[in-house]
Amino acid sequence: METRIYSIRWFAALLLTLIVLGQPAFAKEVSASASLSYEETAVGEAVELTVTVEGSRNSSSPEIAVDGLQIQYVGPQTRIEMNNFDVSSSITHTYAVIPQREGTFTIPALKIDVGGRKLSTQPLKLVVKGGGATNVPGSEDSGEASDSRMAFAEWVVPKTTAYIGETVPAELRLYVASQVQMSLQHHPIVSGDGFTVQPMPKNPKITRIIRNGRSYEMVIFKTALTAVKAGHLKLEPTEINAVAQMQRRRAQRPRGFPDVFNDPFFDNAFGTVSQPVIIKADALEMEIKPLPVAGRPKGFSGAIGQFTFETQASPLQVKAGDPVTVTATVSGVGSFDRMGPPVAEETAGWRAYPPSSKFKSEDDIGISGSKTFEFAMIADRPQTALPKIEFSFFDPAKEQYVTLTGDPAAVVVEGAAAPSPTPSVAATSTTAPAAKQEEAARANDILFIRSDAGSWGASFAPVWRTPVFWFGQLIPLAALLFGAGWSWRSARLGDVRARQVAVLRQEKAAAVRLLRQPDTAPDRFYAAAVRALQLEAALRDASLIPETLDAETLCASRSLDAETAREIRALFAAHDELHYAGAGASSGEGVPAERRSHVLRTLEQFEKSHA
């Protein structure tokens, strides 16, 4: 047995060796191709030319000569891959191409000899624009001006006028001369009073461009700016800290912009010099306008941008007291982080509960995508359609508020099963026979032995065998079924309300905890205060929907003293100012302790008040 296993292993090893050694017999079709690392460059800026032969590990390196281009052979690189028994190989010849003058150059089709076979590549075109030698720190002509030519940065935004809460995409572009290799120490730090800034992606986009006749590597850091107050705002000059490494003489091999965060340093043996540099982008100034008050919908929650809206409901047929899950999706471009849920129209018999939400981004900075809200709606009586669901936002392009309505959904809500009608036996009127009349006449006479069957029945069969007996049993049975169904429905409705109360109490407790924390930001503090008041009202009255309650509704729902009512209106006003106008939202300071205590006392007075 062992001899047999050894023979199999020996045969497999031999077969594998034959496959590798006989690779050309199994290899794919032999072909050749050529490519340039860049199709556009500047005078003195090297690009890389690669000539690849697929299907062979041995080929000659073609001789290349083009007037106006200095072309140097760097070396070959081979590659062998085997997938199961499919073996592939290739060899790549690398060249450095350094333009000597401006113009459009054509690298002709290259002839390659592979084992006696003549292969040819496609011709390539290289566009060379004007350029010049770059001054390097440490050289005789070095100066401050040389740094500005070596690297510079700028902000690029689609507009400089926006509204409070509007999310404006922005790009911080860093330009680095192609002769320079640079390592960034960390991401740029962006700051400005009145702005919130989206985090920049970890891996910025890098590309090569020609600007003012020179070749640059352009690094693009994407972000988004949101103004939280009105007025003339300024983004402070943004600094980019880096270590630059530059050639003391013109490069003789291709150079590109390395990984901006993991670039290893070259030592001076390769003719480079290292120097810390700070590249600054000029300050960015923007004019921020407040959102208009006129025409603001009641359901507007702070969303600004361009959006579409759609709704779905499931299931479409339920019993009264069972939930219907409504899914509302908002898609588009804008301030998803400031977006509140859609609002369901107040409809008798329907109640909506606080939704959950999730956001799916379609870009690196989260300003385009879709946000999905899911919330339960419960009807306490028969219904044929869901309430109308609306989503309101401000469109900065149209400079007006827009309200979208979801597609109406036909939902069948069936009421509790009505008790079956109690069957009744109609009294049958018959004419008494003569014998019975005679018997009635002799009611006071001596009783006699009866020989007839009487009026009960025509036979002496047991009563439980008669239809009348079983028909009579339907009455208590129907009453029993009705009582059981009513008890089940009452218990179910009680469980639903208990769950609702538990959710409302839990959310209210979380809001109160925020009110007690000294480091809660003003916008979150006043949002928590308003939410706690709304939830307290909904806990007392099951017919109230927290999201729809405003200051006047709350004050009218309770017997409040003048000071408590005035404070509630002030809380709602402060919340609206911070939420819609953004005043003070970026200060980073908590609410003073005295103010926090006063708000908590107001909430306590509201809880003690009577409806």
Side-chain angles (χ1 to χ4, degrees):
M1 183 67 179
E2 293 180 358
T3 304
R4 182 178 180 184
I5 294 175
Y6 175 78
S7 300
I8 294 175
R9 291 176 176 175
W10 178 85
F11 176 75
L14 178 61
L15 180 61
L16 181 61
T17 303
L18 291 175
I19 290 175
V20 175
L21 294 178
Q23 176 267 333
F26 294 91
K28 298 180 180 178
E29 185 68 22
V30 180
S31 61
S33 62
S35 64
L36 288 168
S37 58
Y38 297 100
E39 295 180 351
E40 185 175 326
T41 186
V43 175
E45 306 294 337
V47 298
E48 186 179 76
L49 168 64
T50 56
V51 180
T52 302
V53 179
E54 297 283 352
S56 177
R57 289 176 291 148
N58 298 301
S59 73
S60 60
S61 58
E63 296 291 335
I64 310 174
V66 177
D67 184 31
L69 301 178
Q70 179 183 345
I71 303 176
Q72 299 177 352
Y73 183 59
V74 177
Q77 182 179 8
T78 58
R79 178 180 58 86
I80 299 176
E81 293 182 357
M82 184 172 69
N83 184 12
N84 293 329
F85 292 105
D86 185 13
V87 181
S88 62
S89 61
S90 66
I91 181 172
T92 300
H93 299 283
T94 303
Y95 299 80
V97 180
I98 305 172
Q100 305 298 309
R101 53 183 171 82
E102 295 184 55
T104 300
F105 300 88
T106 299
I107 299 176
L110 306 176
K111 306 298 182 183
I112 306 171
D113 184 3
V114 181
R117 296 184 59 181
K118 302 295 184 182
L119 302 178
S120 178
T121 67
Q122 72 278 14
L124 301 173
K125 180 181 291 186
L126 179 64
V127 177
V128 180
K129 297 185 177 181
T134 302
N135 292 329
V136 180
S139 64
E140 294 182 358
D141 296 331
S142 169
E144 294 182 359
S146 65
D147 286 346
S148 64
R149 292 192 299 271
M150 176 187 71
F152 62 95
E154 64 180 357
W155 279 104
V156 178
V157 293
K159 58 182 180 179
T160 56
T161 300
Y163 284 90
I164 292 177
E166 180 182 356
T167 301
V168 180
E171 293 182 356
L172 177 60
R173 296 182 179 180
L174 170 63
Y175 301 86
V176 181
S178 297
Q179 299 94 335
V180 180
Q181 292 178 333
M182 185 170 291
S183 301
L184 299 187
Q185 303 303 293
H186 51 74
H187 268 75
I189 299 176
V190 184
S191 62
D193 181 35
F195 284 106
T196 61
V197 183
Q198 289 280 21
M200 295 180 178
K202 292 183 178 180
N203 298 317
K205 181 181 178 181
I206 303 174
T207 186
R208 173 177 283 196
I209 67 167
I210 302 296
R211 180 160 171 165
N212 298 328
R214 296 194 56 197
S215 176
Y216 290 93
E217 301 287 345
M218 181 173 66
V219 186
I220 301 176
F221 299 94
K222 291 186 177 182
T223 185
L225 308 175
T226 304
V228 297
K229 63 181 181 180
H232 186 78
L233 304 184
K234 180 165 65 171
L235 202 65
E236 299 299 329
T238 305
E239 294 186 353
I240 303 175
N241 297 311
V243 175
Q245 301 190 22
M246 298 155 287
Q247 290 291 325
R248 293 181 180 276
R249 56 184 179 276
R250 188 170 61 186
Q252 297 298 313
R253 60 187 178 88
R255 296 193 179 276
F257 196 92
D259 184 337
V260 294
F261 297 104
N262 297 293
D263 178 43
F265 290 167
F266 295 97
D267 55 49
N268 289 334
F270 291 90
T272 61
V273 59
S274 300
Q275 177 177 321
V277 293
I278 298 178
I279 305 102
K280 285 187 177 182
D282 293 338
L284 176 64
E285 297 184 2
M286 298 186 68
E287 193 66 33
I288 306 301
K289 300 182 290 185
L291 292 175
V293 177
R296 179 181 296 176
K298 184 177 180 181
F300 176 67
S301 61
I304 303 175
Q306 291 82 38
F307 303 103
T308 59
F309 181 58
E310 61 178 8
T311 57
Q312 295 179 338
S314 176
L316 299 179
Q317 186 169 0
V318 295
K319 295 286 187 183
D322 291 340
V324 177
T325 300
V326 178
T327 303
T329 303
V330 181
S331 304
V333 179
S335 55
F336 284 96
D337 55 339
R338 299 171 60 90
M339 180 183 296
V343 177
E345 182 183 36
E346 294 185 18
T347 303
W350 281 103
R351 179 176 300 166
Y353 294 90
S356 62
S357 64
K358 58 182 179 180
F359 174 62
K360 181 180 180 182
S361 178
E362 296 180 356
D363 57 28
D364 296 334
I365 53 178
I367 63 172
S368 65
S370 59
K371 193 169 187 177
T372 302
F373 300 89
E374 284 191 358
F375 52 95
M377 300 192 70
I378 297 179
D380 59 6
R381 67 192 69 174
Q383 302 282 354
T384 58
L386 277 173
K388 183 168 60 174
I389 300 176
E390 296 181 341
F391 173 71
S392 299
F393 63 94
F394 181 76
D395 188 336
K398 298 179 180 178
E399 297 188 334
Q400 64 183 19
Y401 293 96
V402 179
T403 298
L404 303 178
T405 304
D407 297 330
V411 176
V412 178
V413 180
E414 299 175 348
S420 302
T422 305
S424 61
V425 181
T428 305
S429 174
T430 58
T431 303
K436 289 185 178 182
Q437 293 177 0
E438 182 181 354
E439 182 179 345
R442 297 187 309 216
N444 296 324
D445 203 351
I446 299 175
L447 297 179
F448 57 92
I449 299 175
R450 299 188 58 174
S451 60
D452 62 332
S455 62
W456 174 254
S459 69
F460 289 100
V463 68
W464 56 269
R465 289 187 178 180
T466 63
V468 175
F469 173 82
W470 291 111
F471 191 75
Q473 303 308 309
L474 291 178
I475 297 175
L477 180 61
L480 179 64
L481 292 177
F482 175 76
W486 185 266
S487 299
W488 176 84
R489 180 178 181 274
S490 299
R492 183 176 179 84
L493 291 177
D495 290 342
V496 170
R497 177 55 184 169
R499 290 195 297 270
Q500 297 167 2
V501 169
V503 171
L504 294 176
R505 285 178 175 171
Q506 184 178 9
E507 187 177 355
K508 179 188 171 185
V512 173
R513 284 196 297 270
L514 278 177
L515 295 178
R516 297 184 185 278
Q517 294 174 2
D519 57 348
T520 302
D523 54 343
R524 297 185 64 198
F525 177 85
Y526 286 102
V530 168
R531 188 61 178 168
L533 290 168
Q534 293 173 331
L535 294 171
E536 170 61 25
L539 283 170
R540 294 283 190 91
D541 188 348
S543 65
L544 296 179
I545 299 176
E547 290 75 17
T548 63
L549 302 178
D550 55 15
E552 298 303 325
T553 304
L554 290 177
C555 292
S557 67
R558 301 287 180 90
S559 298
L560 301 175
D561 58 87
E563 182 181 355
T564 303
R566 184 169 57 254
E567 180 61 24
I568 289 175
R569 293 186 180 94
L571 286 175
F572 272 80
H575 167 261
D576 291 344
E577 181 180 359
L578 288 169
H579 188 65
Y580 299 130
S586 62
S587 64
E589 297 180 358
V591 177
E594 182 179 354
R595 179 58 177 162
R596 283 189 286 108
S597 299
H598 190 66
V599 171
L600 289 170
R601 284 196 301 272
T602 300
L603 178 59
E604 184 179 356
Q605 290 298 323
F606 185 78
E607 292 172 347
K608 294 179 180 179
S609 60
H610 299 286

